[in-house]
Amino acid sequence: MNLILLGPPGAGKGTQARMLQEHFGLMQIATGDMLREHIKHHTDLGQLAQNYMNQGQLVPDLVVIQMIEHRISEADANNGFILDGFPRTVPQAESLDKMLARRKLKLDHVIEMRVDEDALVERIAGRFSCAACGEGYHDKFKKPAREGVCDKCGFGQFVRRDDDRADTVRKRLAAYREQTAPILPYYQAKGKLTSIDGMAEIDVVQTQIRQLLRPQA
Ligand code: AP5
């Protein structure tokens, strides 16, 4: 099964993708995480991407398309994947169709997570993640069970993202409206798009997605 999770910054794509990965064994492929790894390791691609990301702008299409083409060719994507953060423009969506066709793969679902903009700002402002395993948390909505200790790996240090500052978040939201939202009709026309309520609690959103993925009788 191959899925796309679509939605504005803070909609909960990463949170839901990690839960789906654990439950279904699908591979989460998150372009934002991949780009942050490049930045961490000071690669040329990372240096290029950092300038765009810190300003809340999208990284050029060609860069992310090549990154995804390489990633979906790796063995661990063979059992199915969840694209989180890709595609984000119409040219990216068109390139994805071509890549999948070349590999005789199909896209099963495109799931749009709808969330109010005010809630997004609150979600992003309270977000932090484990510095070791990357598990995501929130100051209010998803605290670690033991304060200061990651539920998943037991590490005791957390990080916040550079692009989660209020001014950058507003630019990221504008980029979503202007460059990413136009891909919704693209997938609607192909009969792939389902919109779900991303305002519900984390577990309730997960249940909505799993119901959608259940084989239809
Ligand atoms: P990326 O890393 O993809 O960021 P994003 O799309 O802005 O999404 P976020 O990671 O901010 O949010 P999310 O939807 O995953 O929410 P999360 O689950 O963390 O991209 C960053 C940058 O990289 C881009 O700006 C761009 O520059 C570049 N880039 C990446 N891909 C690109 C591409 N394809 N093309 C070009 N450039 C690209 O949840 C947020 C918080 O809310 C968490 O704390 C979580 O615990 C909490 N939360 C989640 N769900 C709920 C809920 N239901 N109720 C309450 N709280 C919740």
Side-chain angles (χ1 to χ4, degrees):
M1 186 162 44
N2 300 313
L3 315 174
I4 295 176
L5 289 187
L6 261 179
K13 304 180 293 294
T15 302
Q16 297 300 329
R18 281 188 292 274
M19 293 166 84
L20 292 171
Q21 170 165 281
E22 234 159 69
H23 186 79
F24 290 107
L26 301 169
M27 188 50 55
Q28 176 195 15
I29 300 182
T31 37
D33 291 347
M34 293 165 77
L35 292 167
R36 282 185 286 278
E37 276 299 299
H38 276 280
I39 293 173
K40 195 163 128 193
H41 293 105
H42 306 287
T43 67
D44 290 344
L45 195 159
Q47 271 177 358
L48 172 96
Q50 189 166 27
N51 294 328
Y52 292 95
M53 290 167 79
N54 284 349
Q55 292 177 49
Q57 294 172 2
L58 295 186
V59 172
D61 284 338
L62 193 61
V63 174
V64 277
I65 289 167
Q66 285 177 348
M67 206 171 67
I68 285 290
E69 175 116 51
H70 179 74
R71 184 66 186 87
I72 65 170
S73 310
E74 289 180 22
D76 62 1
N78 281 346
N79 293 332
F81 49 77
I82 309 156
L83 292 173
D84 158 9
F86 183 93
R88 260 176 148 103
T89 62
V90 172
Q92 290 183 21
E94 290 168 347
S95 296
L96 177 65
D97 280 346
K98 289 182 197 144
M99 285 178 219
L100 295 177
R102 278 198 294 275
R103 290 172 177 75
K104 300 196 174 11
L105 295 173
K106 81 173 172 66
L107 193 57
D108 295 282
H109 295 278
V110 178
I111 303 171
E112 181 204 5
M113 302 174 60
R114 288 199 176 153
V115 183
D116 297 345
E117 274 210 11
D118 290 346
L120 295 175
V121 176
E122 187 185 14
R123 284 187 188 184
I124 292 174
R127 169 168 55 188
F128 61 99
S129 60
C130 172
C133 73
E135 181 66 5
Y137 295 96
H138 192 278
D139 293 325
K140 186 166 152 193
F141 305 122
K142 191 185 167 207
K143 297 179 186 177
R146 242 182 84 207
E147 199 185 331
V149 181
C150 176
D151 295 345
K152 203 168 170 195
C153 74
F155 199 63
Q157 280 177 29
F158 297 90
V159 287
R160 292 186 190 254
R161 275 169 46 177
D162 287 342
D163 62 345
D164 280 351
R165 296 188 321 266
D167 56 332
T168 316
V169 170
R170 279 180 226 297
K171 289 185 192 153
R172 285 163 56 200
L173 288 170
Y176 181 80
R177 278 192 302 269
E178 288 155 25
Q179 292 168 274
T180 306
I183 67 179
L184 295 169
Y186 179 85
Y187 286 117
Q188 183 132 41
K190 290 175 180 286
K192 300 275 180 198
L193 184 71
T194 306
S195 300
I196 61 160
D197 175 18
M199 290 298 291
E201 287 182 16
I202 293 174
D203 288 344
V204 177
V205 176
Q206 180 71 193
T207 303
Q208 291 181 67
I209 299 177
R210 287 191 198 171
Q211 276 170 352
L212 173 71
L213 304 184
R214 225 182 261 155
Q216 305 298 314

